[in-house]
Amino acid sequence: MPWMTSMRFLHCSDVHITANYLSLPLLKLGWRRWIAMAELSVGGRSKAYARAPETLATIASDAEQHGVDHFILSGDLTAYALDPEFQLARASLGALAEDPGRCTVVPGNHDVFTPGSHRAGRFARHFGHLLESDLPEYRREGAFPFVRLVGKGAAVVGLLSARVPFVPGFAHGYIGPAQLEGLAELVKDPRLAGRAVLVVVHHAPLTHKGRADSLLHGLKDAQALFRLLPGPRYAVLHGHIHHRYHHPATAERPHIFSAGSSTQAGREGYWLIEVRDGQVVGGQKHVPGGTREPARAQA
């Protein structure tokens, strides 16, 4: 058909915009962030993400340079769900963050790190306008699943897997039966016929080794998700695991793209994912600044 043209999607994740926690009042941070500050200092996370805003801004600029049809960020915009971190993440994305037709963002577990940040709807306060759906009748849990019809050849579906952890260190996620039921109905909608479907979720269905992730870190209902998305028409785009990898589709499951941690010092990068004739045909790793990642640096 003459309208069947190639499309390109930029996928990044886990940008972890990090506030200066040592300058903030300890009482307002709360005990969960007190524990997490060891990771920031002794664990070196604060140093690793010191330039995250600038790197994210460069990736957003690359989207314009590459002429991508849609920009996707699969969660963990922040270090520990503070308002200034969300504000800086949105500012770093620039004009992309203002347009649901050009940009999809879902929350990660770091974006709902505390019960307070979840109750306040902090993610939605800054990015709720990007959770709009072109087919809202399929929503089952708040805004999720939402769908964006991109051109005539693709659809981007956002799912929620990030849950407030019982205590820091419990970083597993789940989609849940309500969203899965909505997704099952959505993919049968005739308005998605002939389109590639890119499903965005934070937690990883498989590790870089092709295995289920650990009990306290993985996506608990990954197999249920796979059953709804068989073959190369579909892809699951995720973050959470700080490795960048691609598992090609099989007859039983979709393509799986992990964007890794796109702004982490020494591991910066993202995917450019290609869609053609309603199928996901592959992707290329790039580093911020628009160049393809050297083969020797691939993980």
Side-chain angles (χ1 to χ4, degrees):
M1 295 183 184
W3 54 263
M4 285 291 193
T5 57
S6 295
M7 305 184 76
R8 180 176 288 178
F9 297 79
L10 191 153
H11 173 215
C12 64
S13 197
D14 292 63
V15 297
H16 290 296
I17 306 296
T18 304
N20 182 357
Y21 280 76
L22 295 179
S23 70
L24 300 172
L26 281 176
L27 286 178
K28 290 188 177 180
L29 289 177
W31 66 269
R32 292 169 185 258
R33 295 192 184 93
W34 298 346
I35 296 172
M37 284 175 70
E39 183 179 44
L40 287 174
S41 53
V42 179
R45 185 176 282 257
S46 183
K47 182 178 180 181
Y49 292 99
R51 291 192 53 79
E54 295 86 349
T55 304
L56 180 57
T58 299
I59 294 171
S61 177
D62 287 356
E64 304 291 345
Q65 296 298 318
H66 289 300
V68 302
D69 295 277
H70 204 79
F71 182 98
I72 296 167
L73 203 169
S74 54
D76 279 2
L77 287 80
T78 67
Y80 302 113
L82 290 179
D83 262 318
E85 295 171 340
F86 284 112
Q87 291 166 357
L88 192 49
R90 182 163 172 175
S92 298
L93 287 171
L96 279 172
E98 307 307 315
D99 187 354
R102 301 175 62 205
C103 182
T104 291
V105 179
V106 300
N109 57 299
H110 280 255
D111 303 323
V112 292
F113 192 74
T114 64
S117 64
H118 176 64
R119 285 194 302 269
R122 199 163 290 161
F123 175 87
R125 185 186 308 160
H126 298 280
F127 291 96
H129 62 293
L130 297 181
L131 306 182
E132 296 175 7
S133 182
D134 292 334
L135 304 176
E137 62 267 35
Y138 295 109
R139 288 174 167 170
R140 297 295 185 272
E141 183 181 350
F144 301 92
F146 64 85
V147 62
R148 193 88 64 247
L149 302 178
V150 183
K152 294 184 177 180
V156 177
V157 177
L159 296 175
L160 174 67
S161 66
R163 312 293 173 170
V164 179
F166 178 66
V167 293
F170 284 66
H172 57 277
Y174 62 89
I175 300 163
Q179 287 185 71
L180 289 170
E181 183 272 328
L183 178 62
E185 294 301 312
L186 170 61
V187 296
K188 293 185 289 187
D189 190 296
R191 289 169 288 186
L192 267 64
R195 294 176 182 264
V197 180
L198 283 66
V199 175
V200 187
V201 66
H202 179 64
H203 288 78
L206 295 175
T207 69
H208 63 291
K209 295 182 178 180
R211 304 170 185 165
D213 202 355
S214 65
L215 185 64
L216 298 182
H217 198 259
L219 180 65
K220 291 190 172 297
D221 39 13
Q223 291 303 315
L225 178 63
F226 287 162
R227 286 193 289 271
L228 300 178
L229 308 171
R233 180 187 169 202
Y234 302 100
V236 172
L237 281 53
H238 70 86
H240 198 52
I241 294 178
H242 290 186
H243 292 276
R244 199 164 296 112
Y245 55 90
H246 170 220
H247 296 305
T250 69
E252 292 77 31
R253 64 162 172 75
H255 289 276
I256 299 168
F257 289 93
S258 170
S261 183
S262 293
T263 62
Q264 184 178 359
R267 292 188 175 186
E268 301 94 334
Y270 55 87
W271 282 104
L272 286 182
I273 298 171
E274 300 289 338
V275 167
R276 191 178 307 126
D277 297 342
Q279 304 281 307
V280 179
V281 296
Q284 295 178 355
K285 298 176 184 178
H286 284 251
V287 296
T291 59
R292 190 168 178 177
E293 184 175 310
R296 65 180 180 277
Q298 292 182 356

